[in-house]
Amino acid sequence: MPYIVAIHAFIDNYIWVIRDHCHAAVVDPGDASPVLDYLEQEKLKLIAILNTHHHNDHVGGNAALLREFTVPVYGPANESIPTVTHPLKECNDKESAEGNAYIPEFSLSLRVLDIPGHTAGHIAYYGANLLFCGDTLFACGCGRLFEGTAPQMVNSLQKLTDLPKETGVYCGHEYTLNNIRFARTVEPGNQALIEREAKVEALRKQNIPTLPSDIAIERATNPFLRCDQPEIIRNASVYAGKPLSDPVSVFATLRDWKNHF
C-alpha cells in the first residue's frame, strides 16, 4: 500500500507524493525542483502527475518533470493545462476511465469529483480514504472564488463534506492556523475549534505540517461547512448588517469576511 509524503514548495504550498519503495506519483507539482530533489534522494521513479486545477503554483512544474520522465498527466477536462494527457471529469459511471485516475503500480484508483468554485473546472481525486482537493477545501477554510460562484462552492464543499468522516484531506496550502483564527472569530463558542487551535499551534512551533486533516474534524470546526449553525449565522448577519438565513448567503458573507480578515 502506498503512503503519502508532503514536499514543501514556494512559501506555503504542499506537493503531495504518493509513493512506495520505488515509485512516486505527485499531486499539484507547482515547482519541479523540490520534486526532482526528493525523487533523486529517495531513488524513486516518477510514474504519474495529477493536477487539480490550472493555477501555476499547482501545475508550473509539469513541463520540467516531463523532460525527465515520460508519464501520464491527469487533470481537469474543463480547464486548459497544456501538459495534461488524460483530461478527467466526474462521471456517473464509477468505472469510466474519464472519471478516474488509475495508478497501476499502486493498484490505486482515484475517482474524480467536479468541485468548481475556486476555479471553473477544479477537480478533486478521491479513493482509499484519501482526498486530494487542491484549493477548494482547506483545513478549517476554503479557497477564494476566483472563477466560480458562491452557490457552486457551497455545492462543491457539500460534496466533499458528504465523504466518509475518516477521509484524509490533502489540500494545497499550509493555511491552517490563520484559518482557525478566523474561525474562532466566527464561532468563538466551538470547543472543538479551541482544542484544534492548541494542537495546530503546537505543530507549527515545531514546523510540522498540520495536514492531512480529515472530514470529521472539518465538519466539526470548519465554518464554511457549518453555515447552518446558529452562532455562525448570527455573527455573519452582524458582519453583513442584515439578517441572513440561507446557507449560500451565509457562506458568501463568510467568504467576504475572510477575504478582509
Side-chain angles (χ1 to χ4, degrees):
M1 182 69 183
Y3 60 99
I4 315 301
V5 174
I7 294 178
H8 295 264
F10 308 119
I11 297 172
D12 52 35
N13 280 70
Y14 287 129
I15 299 168
W16 296 107
V17 181
I18 309 168
R19 61 159 296 183
D20 59 13
H21 65 287
C22 57
H23 303 104
V26 294
V27 182
D28 284 347
D31 186 0
S33 294
V35 176
L36 292 170
D37 289 346
Y38 181 79
L39 295 175
E40 181 178 8
Q41 173 187 324
E42 297 292 314
K43 297 180 172 52
L44 298 175
K45 178 184 178 182
L46 186 68
I47 54 173
I49 297 170
L50 297 91
N51 295 143
T52 61
H53 65 292
H54 67 82
H55 287 164
N56 196 58
D57 65 323
H58 291 254
V59 304
N62 285 9
L65 291 173
L66 291 172
R67 286 195 288 270
E68 302 295 328
F69 300 92
T70 301
V71 299
V73 181
Y74 299 94
N78 294 321
E79 294 191 355
S80 178
I81 303 173
T83 49
V84 166
T85 60
H86 291 63
L88 302 174
K89 61 182 178 180
E90 185 173 339
C91 294
N92 291 329
D93 178 5
K94 294 182 180 180
E95 302 301 318
S96 168
E98 190 179 36
N100 291 274
Y102 181 64
I103 306 174
E105 291 84 352
F106 302 146
S107 298
L108 177 64
S109 183
L110 295 171
R111 182 160 57 94
V112 171
L113 303 173
D114 288 334
I115 50 169
H118 180 67
T119 63
H122 202 302
I123 62 173
Y125 300 90
Y126 168 69
N129 287 332
L130 307 171
L131 173 67
F132 299 98
C133 51
D135 287 359
T136 297
L137 174 63
F138 290 128
C140 215
C142 75
R144 290 175 181 259
L145 303 179
F146 287 125
E147 299 172 12
T149 64
Q152 282 181 318
M153 187 63 112
V154 168
N155 289 336
S156 294
L157 292 173
Q158 186 62 56
K159 188 180 293 186
L160 301 182
T161 308
D162 288 342
L163 294 173
K165 64 181 181 180
E166 65 273 12
T167 301
V169 176
Y170 295 83
C171 56
H173 294 269
E174 182 58 71
Y175 292 161
T176 312
L177 190 54
N178 181 263
N179 287 345
I180 288 174
R181 287 170 177 163
F182 172 71
R184 292 268 283 119
T185 301
V186 173
E187 195 181 15
N190 185 331
Q191 185 60 39
L193 189 55
I194 295 168
E195 294 170 4
R196 187 178 192 184
E197 183 176 35
K199 292 176 182 177
V200 165
E201 285 179 340
L203 289 172
R204 294 314 295 155
K205 284 178 181 177
Q206 300 175 70
N207 201 31
I208 297 173
T210 62
L211 301 167
S213 175
D214 61 48
I215 292 297
I217 192 65
E218 295 310 318
R219 290 176 186 168
T221 61
N222 191 325
F224 295 99
L225 308 184
R226 297 171 58 78
C227 292
D228 59 347
Q229 295 300 304
E231 185 176 28
I232 291 178
I233 295 171
R234 183 168 61 251
N235 288 327
S237 296
V238 170
Y239 178 84
K242 61 181 179 181
L244 303 173
S245 56
D246 65 288
V248 172
S249 64
V250 174
F251 171 85
T253 298
L254 292 181
R255 187 59 265 179
D256 179 72
W257 191 354
K258 180 64 165 64
N259 291 349
H260 296 92
F261 182 69

